[in-house]
Amino acid sequence: MLDTEVRELMQSFVLSDYQVQEVYSRFYAEISKGLKRSTNAQATTKCFPTYVQDLPTGDEIGKYLALDLGGTNFRVLLVSLKGHHDARVEFQTYAVPKDLMIGPGVDLFDHIAECLAKFVAKHDMKNAYLPLGFTFSFPCVQKGLKEAVLSRWTKGFKCPGVAGEDVGRLLHEAIQRRGDVEIAVVAILNDTTGTLMSCAHRNADCRVGIIVGTGCNACYVEHVDQVDLLDHEFKREKKQVIVNCEWGAFGEGGQLDFVRTEYDVTIDNKSINPAQQLFEKMTSGMYLGELVRLVLIRGLQKKAIFKLNPRREEFATILEENENIFETRHISEIESDTFPEFANTRRICKQLFGLEKANVEDCQKLKYVCECVSKRAATLVAIGASGLVNKTFDRKVVVGMDGSVYRYHPKFDEYIRETMHKLVKPDKTFDIMLSEDGSGRGAALVAAVASKTK
Ligand code: BGC
């Protein structure tokens, strides 16, 4: 049995039904605001039209290159679409050194171009002139499929000289500077769009794409009449367009203040983008581990955890002095543990504190802390997902999902479904599917449908 101290410690993370309902209403209102030209400027969720208006049929064929920037790693991919809903993806992962994440934008794009050139050379494709889809997972105002102006950096990136610029042009220029590869950038897309497309490739009912990884965001298929920001010429022939909600920014207008905890405030204050991406800071992999670290420090001070351990204060100091020492993947590992072995939890306690065989009660408490933090994240994601499912015109909606948190957490999917069952309208049915490499396959599919349209 968990004692009251630890329950009290976590109380502020447990959302009541009223709070869930209230966040839902505020979120739904915010999306409606984002879609309207007259209110978009005040909306936190910018609802950018992506100019992707065709979903894949599954028959797409051809070879495409893709770039994937926006998570912890940068990837170059070669995607072969084979028809019959099938695709083959080969890729190479390259680290993005910390100094490139915050250094001049030119250096970042030169690095991207260099990795691309190496990949092309290695695969003997110098003269293949393959079309390329660029999955660039940051908020962008798109002017068309090939033009995407970065509105701001998120997720630990902050390269000067890129916000306000067309990232397609920056990539093109970096490739030109090298002069050793010829590549046609045919589409720039968000990772949520890639996720939606790659799921739609397999399942024709997919209408929503969600990422819960380093960052958190969603897109969905909207009727063109609802999307004020889309120019008329794009409304004549096609009746739908994918909208990139950029829901990570939700809460910047104070909408989440009534549920944010002191720990959320601390996370935000010490981040490189204070007052921005508040929903993201409560839901995504970049921050969940840090939230747990902060809660544990408080729990140790209050003797709510490791109560009987003589080294309690020392543990608190270790956590205080080492930012990011508690990683988001630790949450997934701890929540995967079973009573009474707690194998992962004990290994993590050993790693962090040099503690041999943490006792069962403390393991249970640690697990509870992790559960509260991840369950709140999943509930918030589910609120957004339900809002988008309810907004679509279709009765049956499949939600495509990806990202390290969703993929590796043992119960995230279960937590999300639990809340969605409460919020999705009774006349609708929904399902969630795991995306297969949305940033690669999805980029190829956007490139493929783009060339079909031409
Ligand atoms: C970005 C989104 C992206 C999400 C998931 C957020 O920080 O603003 O564009 O889709 O992370 O990668």
Side-chain angles (χ1 to χ4, degrees):
M1 267 301 281
L2 289 165
D3 51 26
T4 43
E5 282 110 330
V6 73
R7 290 198 185 276
E8 266 168 29
L9 177 72
M10 298 316 290
Q11 195 48 51
S12 57
F13 282 87
V14 182
L15 299 177
S16 67
D17 286 348
Y18 162 76
Q19 286 174 317
V20 168
Q21 203 56 55
E22 184 60 27
V23 175
Y24 177 87
S25 309
R26 293 179 184 201
F27 172 79
Y28 199 89
E30 201 65 14
I31 294 291
S32 310
K33 226 169 151 186
L35 288 169
K36 292 208 184 60
R37 203 180 279 273
S38 57
T39 46
N40 179 275
Q42 292 94 51
T44 54
T45 47
K46 288 298 179 198
C47 297
F48 298 121
T50 62
Y51 294 84
V52 178
Q53 297 195 270
D54 296 289
L55 296 183
T57 56
D59 300 334
E60 294 74 13
I61 287 179
K63 280 192 168 190
Y64 299 86
L65 280 168
L67 299 179
D68 172 19
L69 181 78
T72 342
N73 291 309
F74 165 67
R75 294 187 309 155
V76 184
L77 309 94
L78 173 61
V79 185
S80 313
L81 299 176
K82 295 169 172 293
H84 306 288
H85 309 271
D86 195 18
R88 205 181 95 189
V89 180
E90 288 168 70
F91 66 87
Q92 182 87 43
T93 305
Y94 306 84
V96 185
K98 180 89 193 152
D99 52 328
L100 278 186
M101 289 170 71
I102 49 174
V106 189
D107 295 354
L108 178 70
F109 281 87
D110 280 343
H111 178 67
I112 295 175
E114 185 187 336
C115 297
L116 174 63
K118 279 188 192 153
F119 184 90
V120 167
K122 188 174 153 203
H123 287 78
D124 224 2
M125 295 185 308
K126 271 210 163 152
N127 301 313
Y129 304 115
L130 296 183
L132 180 142
F134 182 14
T135 306
F136 182 75
S137 308
F138 299 95
C140 288
V141 178
Q142 299 221 205
K143 303 260 169 81
L145 267 185
K146 285 193 276 191
E147 208 182 323
V149 175
L150 176 68
S151 24
R152 67 185 186 196
W153 287 110
T154 58
K155 296 179 287 199
F157 279 79
K158 208 176 187 176
C159 306
V162 187
E165 301 294 328
D166 172 14
V167 296
R169 183 179 59 77
L170 296 179
L171 175 63
H172 179 74
E173 286 171 3
I175 294 172
Q176 295 289 105
R177 273 197 291 283
R178 296 185 59 84
D180 58 351
V181 268
E182 278 188 58
I183 300 281
V185 182
V186 300
I188 302 172
L189 61 144
N190 189 261
D191 51 355
T192 55
T193 305
T195 297
L196 197 162
M197 292 295 277
S198 95
C199 288
H201 188 230
R202 293 257 176 98
N203 186 324
D205 292 324
C206 185
R207 293 288 177 280
V208 179
I210 297 181
I211 297 280
V212 197
T214 309
C216 183
N217 185 22
C219 70
Y220 75 109
V221 179
E222 183 55 282
H223 194 281
V224 288
D225 292 345
Q226 302 284 314
V227 190
D228 270 4
L229 297 175
L230 190 69
D231 287 340
H232 280 292
E233 56 173 307
F234 295 94
K235 298 188 177 180
R236 269 185 235 121
E237 283 170 34
K238 311 256 162 88
K239 287 297 148 214
Q240 58 182 20
V241 63
I242 296 181
V243 170
N244 169 12
C245 302
E246 283 297 334
W247 78 17
F250 179 51
E252 289 175 21
Q255 300 91 340
L256 291 169
D257 287 357
F258 75 115
V259 288
R260 287 174 74 224
T261 65
E262 56 175 296
Y263 311 100
D264 297 304
V265 174
T266 307
I267 293 269
D268 180 46
N269 288 341
K270 71 186 181 77
S271 69
I272 70 167
N273 54 348
Q276 297 186 356
Q277 301 294 106
L278 299 184
F279 185 80
E280 175 159 277
K281 285 172 180 158
M282 301 168 88
T283 50
S284 79
M286 179 142 179
Y287 310 97
L288 295 182
E290 267 298 89
L291 278 173
V292 172
R293 182 182 71 94
L294 296 175
V295 173
L296 289 180
I297 294 173
R298 180 55 48 87
L300 286 158
Q301 289 162 346
K302 288 188 162 175
K303 299 191 191 171
I305 184 162
F306 293 110
K307 194 165 116 186
L308 302 174
N309 196 307
R311 292 178 56 212
R312 204 185 58 250
E313 283 175 22
E314 185 195 330
F315 297 169
T317 313
I318 293 174
L319 291 174
E320 267 160 3
E321 288 177 354
N322 295 284
E323 272 191 17
N324 299 313
I325 192 175
F326 194 96
E327 296 174 33
T328 298
R329 71 182 164 86
H330 292 145
I331 299 179
S332 298
E333 289 165 4
I334 290 174
E335 284 192 59
S336 303
D337 261 352
T338 46
F339 177 93
E341 297 81 14
F342 289 110
N344 293 328
T345 312
R346 288 190 161 124
R347 177 180 43 80
I348 291 164
C349 287
K350 171 106 201 288
Q351 259 172 22
L352 297 180
F353 309 126
L355 175 65
E356 295 293 340
K357 208 160 187 324
N359 71 37
V360 170
E361 290 74 45
D362 288 327
C363 290
Q364 279 175 311
K365 287 180 185 176
L366 251 176
K367 190 172 179 184
Y368 181 68
V369 169
C370 292
E371 268 167 15
C372 291
V373 171
S374 62
K375 196 162 193 176
R376 185 190 67 161
T379 305
L380 291 171
V381 169
I383 288 171
S386 305
L388 299 184
V389 167
N390 289 340
K391 223 169 176 329
T392 56
F393 284 82
D394 306 81
R395 218 187 58 76
K396 190 172 160 206
V397 180
V398 169
V399 176
M401 245 190 240
D402 207 348
S404 49
V405 174
Y406 176 73
R407 200 175 264 274
Y408 301 121
H409 190 286
K411 293 201 195 124
F412 216 77
D413 178 84
E414 186 187 314
Y415 294 158
I416 291 179
R417 286 174 198 263
E418 201 183 305
T419 302
M420 284 183 78
H421 279 298
K422 293 185 196 158
L423 295 174
V424 169
K425 287 185 200 152
D427 60 336
K428 298 224 174 204
T429 57
F430 74 89
D431 200 1
I432 303 176
M433 78 185 266
L434 178 67
S435 155
E436 290 286 330
D437 204 343
S439 301
R441 184 200 286 242
L445 287 165
V446 172
V449 293
S451 42
K452 237 192 237 172
T453 316
K454 271 188 229 145

